[in-house]
Amino acid sequence: MTDMINIALPKGRLGDSVYDMFEQAGLDCPAIREKSRKLVFENPEKGVRFFWVKPSDVAIYVERGAADIGVVGKDILMEDRTNVYELLDLGIGKCRMVSAGPADFSYDSSNELRVATKFVNVARDFYAASGTDIDIIRLNGSIELAPILGLSDVIVDLVETGTTLRENNLQIIDVIADISARLIANKSAFKFKTKQIVNISNKLEDIIE
Ligand code: PRP
């Protein structure tokens, strides 16, 4: 009997699409479709055990080995810098990490640029690369509100359709990164369960649109 592969899925809309991919790849676990509050589901025949994890926690479960593999947004990998292998771009959950500001905003380099964001590490690295002095304002959501109320000059945030920016009279200044869901693996699990993990990664790669 081979070891089960423990898989951390991000709870929510992205997680549902991710599970669809696992199912299409033949790694199904029918009980997961039943409405319940359970968090762990396994299919011993297929050798898989799934956990529903808060999206921002997936990489921690994988880094610490509580899960062998998982699926997480590239935005979270960039921000949290967890020590995991990134195996595959699943091509879903696509959006962009951008800096954005009011249409009439112009940067006065004699002042610190006030940047509101959830992604403080990403923002620090991005502005450091151009030698821009910034004052980071860490927020947890509705980031677009900050420049409207004068709390910040600009924001660093995710843009999917662009609707939120548009409806709040903000525009993209720079695109920092293309974001999508990534398959990640724990480093030692990858060493000891290489065949099973590569097999799962290959099956998922085969069904990527
Ligand atoms: C995300 C992101 C933007 C918005 C972008 O917010 O932070 O605010 O979606 O999407 P759009 O370009 O399609 O309009 P989310 O809905 O996750 O809520 P949040 O404000 O709590 O981060």
Side-chain angles (χ1 to χ4, degrees), residues 9 18-19 22 37 51 56 67 72 75 86 88 104 110 130 173 176 195 198 201:
L9 297 181
V18 171
Y19 176 70
F22 276 87
R37 304 280 292 175
F51 319 129
S56 51
V72 61
D75 52 325
E86 190 180 316
L88 186 64
D104 57 3
S110 61
S130 59
I173 301 170
I176 299 174
K195 211 171 136 198
V198 168
S201 179

Side-chain angles (χ1 to χ4, degrees), residues 72-145:
V72 61
K74 180 71 179 174
D75 52 325
I76 295 168
L77 289 178
M78 286 170 69
E79 178 63 21
D80 292 353
R81 300 162 179 179
T82 26
N83 187 17
V84 294
Y85 290 132
E86 190 180 316
L87 300 181
L88 186 64
D89 181 347
L90 295 177
I92 57 173
K94 284 188 182 174
C95 57
R96 290 179 295 168
M97 175 86 71
V98 306
S99 64
D104 57 3
F105 173 72
S106 70
Y107 172 51
D108 167 7
S109 60
S110 61
N111 287 323
E112 275 184 334
L113 182 70
R114 295 169 308 150
V115 183
T117 188
K118 276 191 259 199
F119 302 100
V120 299
N121 292 323
V122 173
R124 279 209 183 92
D125 284 356
F126 174 70
Y127 288 105
S130 59
T132 307
D133 288 333
I134 60 167
D135 176 14
I136 291 266
I137 299 151
R138 183 199 287 268
L139 297 178
N140 296 302
S142 300
I143 316 294
E144 292 84 355
L145 198 52

Side-chain angles (χ1 to χ4, degrees), residues 118 140-144 157-165:
K118 276 191 259 199
N140 296 302
S142 300
I143 316 294
E144 292 84 355
D157 199 14
L158 298 176
V159 173
E160 189 182 352
T161 60
T163 310
T164 313
L165 287 185

Side-chain angles (χ1 to χ4, degrees), residues 169-194:
N169 300 316
L170 301 173
Q171 59 188 34
I172 295 175
I173 301 170
D174 290 293
V175 175
I176 299 174
D178 287 322
I179 303 297
S180 55
R182 309 294 162 98
L183 180 69
I184 58 171
N186 172 271
K187 290 192 166 175
S188 79
F190 190 77
K191 199 156 140 200
F192 294 110
K193 301 180 179 177
T194 315

Side-chain angles (χ1 to χ4, degrees), residues 4 6-7 29 31-32 36-43 48-53 61:
M4 296 278 267
N6 294 302
I7 305 168
C29 191
I32 221 168
S36 84
R37 304 280 292 175
K38 270 181 69 172
L39 298 171
V40 182
F41 299 87
E42 59 182 53
N43 184 343
V48 288
R49 182 186 292 124
F50 292 99
F51 319 129
W52 288 124
V53 172
Y61 278 79

